[in-house]
Amino acid sequence: MGTTSGFDAAEITDAYAGFHARVAGFVESGDWSGYADLFTPDATYVEHAMGTFRGRDEIRAWAMRTMTSYPGRVMTGFPLAWQVVDAEAARLVCEVRNPMPDPGDGTVLEEPNITIMTYAGGGLFSREEDVYNPLRFHAMALRWARIAAEHGRADHDVLAWLEKWR
């Protein structure tokens, strides 16, 4: 049976590996301005706690706002636990780990999410949906911020974020 999407699993897998490598570069540099360029101009990004973003301008604004402030700014990377490809639907589904750095006492904190990517060809994706429990993410961020503050490892935006939740 051929793929109805016109893309095979290898192409989708390779495109996501390239996407993921670019994301690692954004984490390293702290510059998320290029994130939206990994998507088609009319792409949709579904973020269950923050809303749905349509088009590169909205996706770029969300990424710049979210990934350059606490807690997104502090995450050390987004390693994959597993992934599967449904070539007929042009989708890649994976579990993304969201680890935080040591807050000062050796505590290991991370929360996973399931990401559903829809491939559009040419190395670009037309849709991303991140499925996770926002309450668990919030609890992790709160715990990390409290421990980091206790150990003198919380900078200004972490302390400001923490103050909002006291």
Side-chain angles (χ1 to χ4, degrees), residues 127-138:
R127 180 178 172 89
E128 177 172 343
E129 181 171 357
D130 293 332
V131 182
Y132 64 99
N133 183 329
L135 296 176
R136 289 182 60 99
F137 259 83
H138 179 78

Side-chain angles (χ1 to χ4, degrees), residues 4-163:
T4 57
S5 72
F7 309 114
D8 63 25
E11 180 179 356
I12 296 167
T13 299
D14 289 347
Y16 190 67
F19 179 102
H20 206 254
R22 294 276 311 274
V23 167
F26 303 145
V27 171
E28 183 69 28
S29 70
D31 179 3
W32 285 83
S33 61
Y35 183 72
D37 300 325
L38 303 176
F39 295 92
T40 59
D42 62 345
T44 301
Y45 189 106
V46 179
E47 210 292 344
H48 286 223
M50 298 179 194
T52 298
F53 308 99
R54 291 179 174 78
R56 284 182 176 162
D57 289 343
E58 287 186 14
I59 294 169
R60 188 177 329 278
W62 169 83
M64 295 293 292
R65 180 177 63 252
T66 303
M67 301 311 295
T68 61
S69 61
Y70 185 76
R73 176 186 61 76
V74 176
M75 291 178 190
T76 60
F78 304 96
L80 301 179
W82 54 264
Q83 69 182 32
V84 295
V85 175
D86 177 350
E88 288 188 27
R91 290 206 177 99
L92 182 141
V93 179
C94 56
E95 179 181 329
V96 178
R97 296 173 46 226
N98 297 273
M100 302 290 274
D102 177 356
D105 68 352
T107 299
V108 176
L109 294 169
E110 73 173 44
E111 280 296 324
N113 66 272
I114 301 299
T115 295
I116 306 164
M117 303 292 293
T118 303
Y119 186 60
L124 300 177
F125 291 84
S126 61
R127 180 178 172 89
E128 177 172 343
E129 181 171 357
D130 293 332
V131 182
Y132 64 99
N133 183 329
L135 296 176
R136 289 182 60 99
F137 259 83
H138 179 78
M140 174 191 67
L142 190 57
R143 183 171 179 215
W144 189 92
R146 286 178 175 153
I147 295 168
E150 289 171 12
H151 290 84
R153 296 182 97 177
D155 58 18
H156 176 63
D157 75 330
V158 173
L159 294 173
W161 186 91
L162 186 58
E163 189 60 34

